[in-house]
Amino acid sequence: MGKRKRSQPEVVPESEEEEDTLPRLPLARPSDEYNKKKGSWTNKQRVLVLCSRGMGSRERHLMEDLKNLMPHCRAEAKHDTKRDLKALNEVAEIRNCNKVLYFDSRKHMDLFMWISDIARGPSVKFHIICMHTMDELKLSGNCLKGSRPMLKFSPEFDAPHWLLMKELLVQTFGVPYHHPKSQPFYDHVFTFTLLDNKIWFRNYQILEEDGELAEIGPRFVMNPVKILANSFSGMTLWENPKFKTPSSVRSFKKMLKEDKNMSTDKQRGLREARRDDEPYKRSKLIETMYD
C-alpha cells in the first residue's frame, strides 16, 4: 500500500487593504542611521610616570605612592637629565600615553614635577616641597588599589592660570570611567587646596556617607613655577613672580648666617678693645680716692 500524502493547508491570499497597512522596511538605509556601538571605556587617558637620574629614596617613594593611586598610569625607566625634555613626547607616544608626569631631581635635594599634555599642550612646572610619603606618615586611612578617587578643589581656583592648572590636574589624576584596571566605585578623595599661592595635596579615605574622612597619604605641596604653551616647549604663558629658586634661598640663608657671625666677631672685638690691660693701676687709683 502506498503512503498517503499529507494535505497542505491552503494559503489564503491577503487582501490589498491588509497589505497596505503592514509596515514595510526600506530597501536601503543611509549609513548615518546605523547605531554605532559605543565602547564602555571612552575616556582613554593614560599617564606616563617617570623620573630623572639622581633621585633620592624619599622622592622615589613619593613617586611610587602616586603610581599605586593611579591605575591608569604607565611606568618608564629613568630619563637622562642631560637630554632635552622634548624627547619625553616621543617616549609617551611609543607607550601610547597622552599625559606625562615627570619628576626632575636637582642637586640631590630639590624636586620639580612636570605635568604635560603631549597632544596640544600646555605643560606646567611645579616645585615640590613639604613632602611626606605613606611610610613616613603611617596614618589609619586605607583604600582599595585601583579604586577611583573623587577630586575636590578649593573655590580659590578662579584666575585663568589656576583654572588651566585645575583642568590639567583633573585630566592627569582623574581615573577614567570603566578603566580595565580600576574599580567601579569611589572610596577616597584627592583634595587640592590653594593656599599662599601654592597647591596643597591631600588624600583621604571616605569612611561614612555623612562625610567622615581619614587621611591616607601622601602629602606634598606644589609651588607653581611657570606654564608653557606646548609640551615641554613653547612660549611662557604665565610665570610665578613670587617664586624663588631653592639655590637663591639657600644662598640668602647662608649670607644671613655669615652676617650673624660677622656681628659676633665685631662684638667680640669691641669687648676686647674695652678691656683694661692694666687693672691694677685702676684699683690703686680707687684706693687713693676713698682714703
Side-chain angles (χ1 to χ4, degrees):
M1 295 178 64
K3 295 183 179 179
R4 296 180 60 184
K5 296 183 180 179
R6 295 183 180 179
S7 60
Q8 298 181 355
E10 298 181 358
V11 178
V12 180
E14 297 179 352
S15 63
E16 296 180 357
E17 296 180 357
E18 293 180 354
E19 291 180 357
D20 295 338
T21 57
L22 293 175
R24 295 181 179 180
L25 295 177
L27 299 178
R29 179 186 293 180
S31 60
D32 55 354
E33 293 184 5
Y34 284 100
N35 295 327
K36 296 181 180 180
K37 185 178 179 181
K38 295 182 179 179
S40 58
W41 182 26
T42 57
N43 181 19
K44 296 187 178 182
Q45 293 285 343
R46 300 182 184 89
V47 183
L48 181 67
V49 182
L50 72 164
C51 64
S52 63
R53 297 188 181 276
M55 282 189 64
S57 59
R58 193 178 187 185
E59 292 83 359
R60 188 174 64 254
H61 289 163
L62 176 64
M63 183 181 67
E64 293 297 331
D65 292 342
L66 292 179
K67 285 182 182 179
N68 295 330
L69 295 174
M70 300 167 61
H72 62 295
C73 74
R74 292 186 177 182
E76 183 62 26
K78 294 181 179 180
H79 179 69
D80 191 2
T81 55
K82 296 181 181 179
R83 297 178 58 187
D84 191 8
L85 293 181
K86 294 180 182 178
L88 296 176
N89 298 329
E90 299 178 2
V91 178
E93 290 179 359
I94 293 173
R95 298 299 305 274
N96 198 15
C97 298
N98 46 20
K99 297 289 185 300
V100 175
L101 188 64
Y102 176 62
F103 293 89
D104 188 7
S105 179
R106 301 292 179 86
K107 298 183 179 180
H108 301 279
M109 60 181 68
D110 302 326
L111 181 63
F112 293 90
M113 183 177 69
W114 284 87
I115 301 178
S116 176
D117 185 358
I118 67 169
R120 55 188 178 275
S123 55
V124 186
K125 182 180 181 181
F126 297 97
H127 179 217
I128 305 300
I129 56 178
C130 302
M131 66 185 79
H132 300 281
T133 61
M134 290 184 181
D135 295 336
E136 293 177 353
L137 296 173
K138 295 182 180 180
L139 298 172
S140 60
N142 192 10
C143 64
L144 292 178
K145 187 174 182 179
S147 60
R148 301 179 65 204
M150 298 178 64
L151 303 181
K152 176 67 171 62
F153 291 86
S154 61
E156 288 79 10
F157 286 86
D158 51 358
H161 57 279
W162 293 119
L163 290 175
L164 183 61
M165 296 181 197
K166 176 182 177 181
E167 182 63 27
L168 198 58
L169 291 172
V170 168
Q171 296 182 12
T172 304
F173 288 95
V175 179
Y177 186 50
H178 285 308
H179 191 274
K181 295 183 180 180
S182 65
Q183 302 291 340
F185 53 83
Y186 298 94
D187 64 347
H188 64 289
V189 54
F190 290 163
T191 61
F192 299 90
T193 307
L194 185 58
L195 182 63
D196 195 18
N197 292 324
K198 299 178 180 64
I199 302 175
W200 300 65
F201 175 86
R202 295 291 185 271
N203 181 24
Y204 297 97
Q205 177 191 3
I206 303 175
L207 297 178
E208 300 293 340
E209 295 182 358
D210 57 356
E212 186 178 357
L213 302 175
E215 188 173 358
I216 303 174
R219 298 178 182 176
F220 58 90
V221 180
M222 297 180 288
N223 188 12
V225 180
K226 60 182 177 180
I227 302 176
L228 300 181
N230 300 328
S231 179
F232 301 106
S233 62
M235 63 179 295
T236 303
L237 300 179
W238 176 82
E239 191 169 1
N240 190 1
K242 298 183 180 180
F243 175 74
K244 296 181 180 179
T245 60
S247 301
S248 62
V249 174
R250 285 192 294 268
S251 62
F252 182 72
K253 291 182 179 180
K254 186 178 180 180
M255 184 180 63
L256 291 178
K257 188 176 181 180
E258 291 177 355
D259 292 342
K260 184 178 179 180
N261 294 336
M262 289 176 62
S263 61
T264 305
D265 296 339
K266 186 177 180 180
Q267 291 177 5
R268 186 181 296 109
L270 294 175
R271 187 167 58 252
E272 293 292 338
R274 291 194 303 267
R275 182 179 297 175
D276 193 357
D277 296 335
E278 298 178 350
Y280 61 91
K281 293 183 179 181
R282 184 179 59 182
S283 61
K284 290 181 178 180
L285 179 60
I286 294 174
E287 290 177 359
T288 54
M289 290 175 61
Y290 285 96
D291 286 344

